[in-house]
Amino acid sequence: MHKIYQHFQFRFNQSFRIFNFNPKVSLPVILVFGALMIVEFPKAYLYPLLYFSLALVFHINRKDIPFLRKIFVSNWRFIIFLESAVIYFIFLLTNINYKIEKFGLMMLGALILLCFLEPKSKPFPTLQWNFISNDLFEWKSYLRKNTWMFIFTYVIIIASAYYPASLILGGIFLLDYLSHVYENNENKEMLEVYFKKISFKDKIYKNLIFFNSLLLPTYITFLIINFNENLYLLYYIFFMNLYFLLIITRKYKVYHHHEKSSYFSIAVFIEFFAYSMLIIPAFIMIRLNSKEAQQNIKNYVGN
């Protein structure tokens, strides 16, 4: 028990260190947490689903499972469950509109399943996706590495169009996978060749068209099933596109040829989530990021 207590004390201090290291993340975190405390859904079961999805995003992004196995040996799965349960219940119990009911407690069973969701040791057979243009090399590379997860996620995203609340939950589920499409940095020789052939604005345009083409079945399905709820779809389109623009402009804003990755952390995820949710801050950040990204590219490519 003492070791578990020390671990959670370390987690608590670690969360504050993250915010202190990057103070501009603190405000978005407060805004998102505040919104999740007061958001009101038409059905009670939607609250547990939303907060479970947040715990799932945290679990999928964690890289410390080998560390937990080494420290806690036979109890490491229990630690994973406890951490997921803490995240789940913090959001669930702070919402002023939610009252404890059976479905919220039943989701604990789903949290137990997370203990057995580990990174796969051997990759599954993948598709080559050769029909995708080389101009979309980030997508092609990502899909080759994550073929079956993409197919699984894509089915969920299209199915989420059945109901406005499920559309929102599906969008949150998608963000985690979308965030890592542009995380890896190409080498400077490839960057130089690429941007001598195509401008940064053209790159954004081509990638934006491809991204919305992927979401087009979701847009159409939602309009057919929920035509009278089209304002939800309009907000969804704005939110998803703003988040997409934030991650692609950030990649080239922070790009450096000595770094293999742009290190898209959970803190950046929360920050961009808040900006996209509020819309106007997202426009401001996209504009600033674009200017810095274009200047950074010029340092490698020239005029």
Side-chain angles (χ1 to χ4, degrees):
M1 286 299 295
H2 180 65
K3 187 183 291 187
I4 295 175
Y5 170 77
Q6 286 184 320
H7 175 74
F8 276 92
Q9 187 178 43
F10 165 74
R11 288 295 194 206
F12 183 79
N13 294 331
Q14 184 185 44
S15 63
F16 279 96
R17 283 199 301 271
I18 291 173
F19 297 142
N20 289 333
F21 180 73
N22 192 358
K24 72 175 184 178
V25 175
S26 302
L27 179 59
V29 169
I30 293 172
L31 291 173
V32 170
F33 190 76
L36 292 173
M37 287 175 62
I38 62 175
V39 64
E40 184 175 5
F41 289 130
K43 301 291 183 180
Y45 69 85
L46 295 174
Y47 295 101
L49 287 176
L50 172 61
Y51 303 136
F52 173 79
S53 69
L54 295 176
L56 177 62
V57 167
F58 169 79
H59 178 77
I60 291 173
N61 279 283
R62 66 188 309 152
K63 305 287 193 299
D64 61 346
I65 291 180
F67 168 78
L68 293 178
R69 277 178 166 170
K70 182 179 180 180
I71 299 300
F72 293 98
V73 190
S74 59
N75 296 321
W76 63 274
R77 294 187 192 276
F78 179 63
I79 299 300
I80 290 176
F81 169 74
L82 284 180
E83 290 185 347
S84 300
V86 167
I87 294 171
Y88 174 72
F89 278 114
I90 283 177
F91 287 118
L92 193 68
L93 298 178
T94 55
N95 189 285
I96 61 176
N97 299 299
Y98 179 74
K99 296 180 180 179
I100 295 295
E101 41 80 43
K102 292 181 180 179
F103 187 77
L105 297 175
M106 286 171 57
M107 290 300 290
L108 281 173
L111 289 174
I112 293 174
L113 294 177
L114 295 185
C115 303
F116 301 92
L117 181 62
E118 302 178 52
K120 57 183 182 294
S121 57
K122 294 182 180 180
F124 294 114
T126 60
L127 302 177
Q128 291 303 304
W129 304 92
N130 289 327
F131 63 89
I132 297 177
S133 169
N134 288 331
D135 290 337
L136 303 166
F137 64 88
E138 288 105 338
W139 280 100
K140 182 179 286 190
S141 174
Y142 185 81
L143 293 178
R144 284 175 175 174
K145 295 176 182 176
N146 302 276
T147 293
W148 300 110
M149 183 55 71
F150 168 77
I151 293 173
F152 173 70
T153 304
Y154 195 57
V155 171
I156 290 177
I157 297 307
I158 295 176
S160 71
Y162 181 75
Y163 190 74
S166 65
L167 183 74
I168 295 171
L169 291 172
I172 295 173
F173 183 73
L174 172 64
L175 293 183
D176 179 59
Y177 298 97
L178 179 62
S179 301
H180 299 291
V181 173
Y182 297 95
E183 185 174 19
N184 294 328
N185 289 332
E186 60 269 31
N187 59 54
K188 65 178 181 180
E189 290 79 16
M190 181 177 176
L191 181 136
E192 184 176 359
V193 171
Y194 184 84
F195 283 108
K196 281 185 176 180
K197 183 178 67 172
I198 188 173
S199 70
F200 182 61
K201 289 183 178 179
D202 286 337
K203 177 182 177 62
I204 290 177
Y205 176 76
K206 287 177 180 289
N207 281 265
L208 201 60
I209 292 295
F210 181 76
F211 175 62
N212 281 281
S213 298
L214 291 176
L215 288 180
L216 189 60
T218 305
Y219 299 159
I220 295 173
T221 304
F222 185 88
L223 277 178
I224 294 173
I225 300 175
N226 304 283
F227 183 77
N228 294 329
E229 305 285 355
N230 52 63
L231 285 178
Y232 281 97
L233 179 62
L234 183 63
Y235 183 81
Y236 178 86
I237 294 172
F238 264 102
F239 179 89
M240 298 303 291
N241 279 273
L242 289 173
Y243 187 90
F244 177 82
L245 289 171
L246 282 168
I247 61 174
I248 192 172
T249 54
R250 176 188 178 274
K251 172 185 175 177
Y252 290 102
K253 170 190 172 183
V254 302
Y255 174 90
H256 193 282
H257 66 280
H258 287 312
E259 299 290 343
K260 293 183 178 181
S261 170
S262 59
Y263 304 108
F264 198 100
S265 66
I266 189 66
V268 179
F269 171 84
I270 294 173
E271 179 185 0
F272 285 0
F273 182 92
Y275 288 149
S276 302
M277 187 171 64
L278 298 172
I279 298 180
I280 293 177
F283 278 111
I284 296 172
M285 288 303 300
I286 291 167
R287 182 180 177 84
L288 294 175
N289 285 355
S290 296
K291 287 183 177 179
E292 293 185 44
Q294 288 178 335
Q295 183 57 49
N296 194 25
I297 291 170
K298 285 182 180 179
N299 292 337
Y300 290 95
V301 181
N303 297 320

